Each structure stands twice: as C-alpha cells, then as structure tokens.
Amino acid sequence: MTAIIGGTLIVIIHVLGVFSAVTALMSSRTSQGAIAWMISLVTFPYVAVPAFWIFGRPRFYGYVSAREERDSELRRVLEGFGKRIEPFLPHLEAHNGRVRAVERLAMMPLTSGNRAELLIDGQASFKSMFDGLARATDYVLIQFFIVRNDRLGQELKRRLIACAERGVRICFIFDEIGSHKLPERYLSELRDAGVEVTPFGSSKGWPHRLQVNFRNHRKVLVVDGREGWVGGLNVGCEYLGEKPSVGAWRDTHLRLEGPSALGLQEAFWEDWYWATNEILALDWRPRAAEGSDQHVVVVPSGPADPLETAGLLIQNAIHTAKRRFWITSPYFVPDQSVQDALKLAALRGVDVRIMIPERPDHLLVYLSAFSFLGEMIQAGVEIHRYQPGFLHQKVMLIDDHTAAVGTVNLDNRSFRLNFEITGYVIDHRFAAEVEAMLAEDFAHCRRVSLGEITHRPLWRKLVSRAAYLASPIQ
C-alpha cells in the first residue's frame, strides 16, 4: 500500500513538472529563461516545481485581473478628466520622438504646469514630506516599501495621527515583505487614530498564495491631489545616515506639484484597489503649480504591465541620448538588452557613466556585476564606485534636457518583479540641477579600471559567473 501511494505521488509530481514546463514555455519572457525552467522542471520536479511557482511566474496575474475588473469604474471616475487635462498638454514637436514612447509606456500624458523640486538626501526629503503632511486638508495617500519602528518611523506615525485628528483621511500602504519587521502595535496605533492601513498583499487570495516573489517597491506620498513625492527613500533611520553599521546614506527624492501629482495618485489608486477592493473617491482636478511650467510624466511600472515598462523606459532613455547619459543605481545587474544599449551609446560617442556603490549590501548583486563590467568598460562605458557611504539613489540624466528620479534599480527585480514608479522631468533647469548634484557625487567616486576586472583570480571570476546565473531572482 505504501509503495502504491509513493508511486502515485511520484507520478503526480512528474505530471506537475510537465504541466509547469508547458506553463514556462508559454509564459517566460525570454527564451533562455524558458529553456532553463523547462529542463529543470522535467528533470528535477521535486525542487523545481515549487521554485517555479514562487520565483518563475513572469506576471502578477491577480493584479491584472483586478485592473480589468475596475477598468469600467476607472472610466466612470475619470470621466471628463481628458478634457480637464487638455490645457496642460504641451506641444510635442520639440521632443516628440523621445517622449511619445514614454507616454505610451506610462499610459499617462506628459503635462505642463508642474514644479519639480530636487530633494537631496534624507534630511531634506523627510522635511519636505512632513511639511506636506502639515498642509494636508482633505486626504493623504502614502506608501513605502520599508517602514521601520525606529525614531523616524515613530515620527511619521506621530505626524499621520496628527493629520487624522485634523479630519484628514489617510490611506497608508506598506509592503508586507519589505516591512516584515514592523510590529502590529505600530499599525494598531495608526488604525486606532483613524488611519486606514493595509499591506499591499502580493500573495492575497488562495490563487495567488505563491506570488511572494513580487514586491511593491514604490515610495509615494500624495497630499490633496495637488502635490506628491517619489524617490529612493524608505522610512528608517539608516536613510538619514544614522545607522553606524551602514554609514552615510546617499539618496534622492523628488517633490512634484501640479498636474503630474495626479500621476502619482493614479498609481496609488490602483494599488489601493488591489489591496482593499475599495475605489477611493479622490480629487482629480489638475491644477497648475504657481510660477512654474515644467514638463513631467509619471511612469508607473510593474509585473502586471503588458510590456516590461521599467526596462523599456531605461532603454528608450539610453537610445535617445546624444551627448550624455548618466545613471545611478545601488544594484547594477541589467539584462543583456540594457547592457547592449549602454555599450552602443558609448560607441556612438555618448558620455555614459554609471554610478554604483563601493560598499554592497547584497553580496550576490555585487559579485554578479563583475561578470559583464569588463565588456562595458572596453566599449567606453565609465563605471564609478561611490566612496563616502552607501549609494541608494535611482537617478537618470539625459543630455541637458531630461532627468528622472524614482524607485527603479538596474536589475531584473525592478524590471520584471517589482511595482516601481518614476518621475520623468523634461526641463533644462531641472536637468542642470541634477547635473550639478551628480557631478558632486562623481567627485566622490573612484573610476573602475579594466585591469581591476580582468586581473582577478580565477576563483573570483568563477564565483562572479555563478552569482550572475542567479540574477533573475536577485
């Protein structure tokens, strides 16, 4: 009897392996990924089947279904929005080619009448966000990937409770994996004060129980639909540089005022609907920022998108650069298409510079980069490692006209597994501010030489190649 049960289980597991292999064939976004999963699922189904359903699913299907279900409601809620936004749609002749693709990826228009304020490091960023909370009169939408129960987390809680006591409605999303150490007491104190709090819930519902590999990596704050914040900073004292084991923390945030704040609002609105099944009643009237007319488009991205939005956004920026493309990222393991785009840009004579940390906080990511940095340096791409502390900012600079600040890292997780968001600003003055900021950062970097990569011992090269094989789930 035991033998019969054991044999039946073996057959079931192998059938599941074949079924999963067919699923991988039909759904994997790259041929390499499909082949790797199919071989492992058929050969080693005992390990590969659970691994595939946790790590190998290419799209967040539950979110896709929820988006489809509420599309008609979205059209109803935003009825007339197109007409109201028309006065803020700039003429695209001057930068048509480089903007059209971004708008289509974002599924949102580029708008004028905005003010984009560059916020350098944690002190300036949280002061700006806390000042915004003090100005709130109607509602606050807030979400972070990581929220700590430390001094900064307590200060955020205190300010949210103060808002709620003034009668402001507050909707707060946190990622349950990124904020797994956040105690229930912290959340209950917010709820007791009237703050509406929910985890994002990537594995919400039994059909999606294994979707733990997806994350909501967005950091968004919206106040009254008039102003919003986005960038690299989470809520924790290390983001203020107050954690000795981490050291100085280099990061960048962005404050947006004007019609573009509604782009941040729309992304939050979708996430809230997924997490709670509630359609928020919000103010969708676009308002121009006083005394400013910068062009901005907000680009949400994630595993529910029909295209790989984040990766295509990076590639579009690289391909449109004529003179300069500078980019910073704490994690640098881009896929082959982005690597090739960077190399081609350098071969065209574009000043391509990549800033990454000297001190890693994820060893696999650090080791993986050595597998391809040599080829990039040979093509003329400059690799710079930031020295004073940990570099966490996600910033792009294109020529002298466009800059972007957001949450996207240069790795597979940001390109395919995380919900991310980027503020894309087309404005010469703002680009000049970003150029000055990055020039100061580059002054505190050391440039990586080709010899540093090629002269490593063989065992280090083997370790780097092995680490690179795991890049799809890093």
Side-chain angles (χ1 to χ4, degrees):
M1 186 68 177
T2 303
I4 294 174
I5 294 174
T8 303
L9 286 174
I10 291 173
V11 170
I12 291 172
I13 291 171
H14 279 274
V15 169
L16 287 174
V18 172
F19 171 76
S20 300
V22 173
T23 303
L25 173 65
M26 300 303 294
S27 64
S28 293
R29 299 202 180 196
T30 66
S31 57
Q32 297 93 331
I35 292 170
W37 277 118
M38 289 171 65
I39 291 174
S40 58
L41 286 164
V42 173
T43 309
F44 308 107
Y46 307 97
V47 175
V49 168
F52 173 74
W53 290 102
I54 293 173
F55 299 112
R57 300 181 73 177
R59 295 188 69 195
F60 194 159
Y61 293 106
Y63 196 102
V64 173
S65 300
R67 177 182 281 170
E68 291 171 350
E69 289 169 3
R70 65 103 185 97
D71 269 350
S72 59
E73 186 67 16
L74 174 62
R75 286 191 291 270
R76 186 189 68 78
V77 171
L78 300 184
E79 185 177 357
F81 177 71
K83 291 183 179 179
R84 290 198 295 268
I85 203 70
E86 283 180 1
F88 300 97
L89 301 181
H91 297 293
L92 295 178
E93 287 80 3
H95 38 236
N96 189 13
R98 64 177 184 261
V99 173
R100 187 73 67 190
V102 177
E103 288 186 305
R104 295 184 69 180
L105 286 171
M107 293 185 283
M108 296 184 187
L110 179 78
T111 60
S112 60
N114 297 288
R115 175 181 289 109
E117 180 183 355
L118 190 65
L119 299 169
I120 300 174
D121 288 329
Q123 297 291 346
S125 298
F126 281 102
K127 180 183 185 305
S128 178
M129 285 187 273
F130 289 163
D131 288 347
L133 291 177
R135 289 190 292 271
T137 59
D138 187 7
Y139 59 84
V140 167
L141 314 176
I142 182 170
Q143 69 180 134
F144 282 98
F145 177 60
I146 295 173
V147 180
R148 307 272 191 217
N149 185 33
D150 57 14
R151 184 185 65 79
L152 184 60
Q154 288 292 321
E155 179 67 11
L156 174 64
K157 181 179 68 174
R158 186 184 69 78
R159 290 176 180 268
L160 291 177
I161 290 173
C163 278
E165 289 174 346
R166 299 200 314 268
V168 176
R169 184 182 184 185
I170 302 171
C171 299
F172 186 11
I173 301 174
F174 64 94
D175 185 88
E176 72 275 28
I177 302 299
S179 300
H180 67 280
K181 293 182 179 180
L182 193 63
E184 181 58 35
R185 182 181 70 258
Y186 185 101
L187 303 173
S188 62
E189 288 177 7
L190 286 171
R191 293 188 179 107
D192 290 346
V195 177
E196 299 172 54
V197 184
T198 182
F200 178 70
S202 59
S203 57
K204 184 186 72 169
W206 285 109
H208 318 297
R209 185 58 61 189
L210 295 179
Q211 292 189 147
V212 297
N213 200 33
F214 297 115
R215 305 280 189 275
N216 195 314
H217 194 240
R218 293 170 180 166
K219 299 95 175 169
V220 170
L221 171 63
V222 177
V223 171
D224 296 337
R226 296 171 177 264
E227 55 183 329
W229 289 259
V230 64
L233 289 149
N234 287 297
V235 181
C237 286
E238 68 265 38
Y239 295 89
L240 299 176
E242 296 179 1
K243 191 173 181 180
S245 61
V246 177
W249 191 280
R250 178 69 191 88
D251 222 324
T252 301
H253 231 66
L254 174 67
R255 175 181 176 270
L256 295 174
E257 181 183 358
S260 60
L262 297 178
L264 299 175
Q265 178 167 289
E266 199 277 341
F268 182 97
W269 193 72
E270 282 199 349
D271 288 348
W272 185 264
Y273 180 78
W274 161 256
T276 67
N277 290 321
E278 177 192 7
I279 295 175
L280 289 172
L282 302 173
D283 187 349
W284 294 99
R285 292 173 295 173
R287 302 173 179 87
E290 187 175 344
S292 183
D293 190 30
Q294 294 173 313
H295 295 175
V296 180
V297 58
V298 170
V299 188
S301 56
D305 295 352
L307 300 174
E308 293 179 359
T309 303
L312 290 173
L313 177 69
I314 301 293
Q315 290 182 63
N316 180 69
I318 299 168
H319 289 312
T320 57
K322 293 182 171 60
R323 187 173 64 85
R324 169 175 53 206
F325 181 78
W326 294 355
I327 191 164
T328 72
S329 176
Y331 313 118
F332 184 61
V333 194
D335 59 23
Q336 193 63 52
S337 58
V338 173
Q339 292 180 39
D340 290 343
L342 289 166
K343 288 184 281 191
L344 281 170
L347 291 171
R348 294 198 315 267
V350 176
D351 175 12
V352 180
R353 301 187 200 179
I354 299 164
M355 190 188 309
I356 55 180
E358 180 71 271
R359 308 176 190 178
D361 71 336
H362 289 288
L363 185 59
L364 278 179
V365 174
Y366 176 80
L367 293 172
S368 296
F370 287 98
S371 298
F372 52 83
L373 288 183
E375 290 184 4
M376 302 191 75
I377 294 171
Q378 285 181 317
V381 176
E382 294 184 15
I383 308 295
H384 296 258
R385 288 198 177 275
Y386 186 73
Q387 300 295 300
F390 186 65
L391 177 84
H392 191 253
Q393 61 175 330
K394 305 95 164 53
V395 176
M396 285 193 299
L397 177 64
I398 307 163
D399 295 335
D400 61 352
H401 51 68
T402 301
V405 178
T407 69
V408 176
N409 296 311
L410 289 174
D411 62 7
N412 181 70
R413 179 161 291 283
S414 276
F415 289 177
R416 298 185 177 91
L417 300 175
N418 286 350
F419 289 86
E420 308 279 8
I421 193 162
T422 301
Y424 198 88
V425 184
I426 301 175
D427 180 79
H428 287 277
R429 182 180 63 80
F430 183 78
E433 292 177 9
V434 172
E435 177 187 0
M437 177 187 73
L438 294 182
E440 177 68 18
D441 290 337
F442 279 119
H444 293 90
C445 293
R446 70 171 182 85
R447 184 172 173 181
V448 179
S449 68
L450 182 59
E452 179 182 339
I453 306 299
T454 58
H455 294 159
R456 289 173 302 138
L458 177 60
W459 69 269
R460 288 191 177 182
K461 294 179 180 179
L462 292 174
V463 169
S464 294
R465 291 301 301 175
Y468 186 52
L469 292 176
S471 62
I473 60 172
Q474 289 176 15

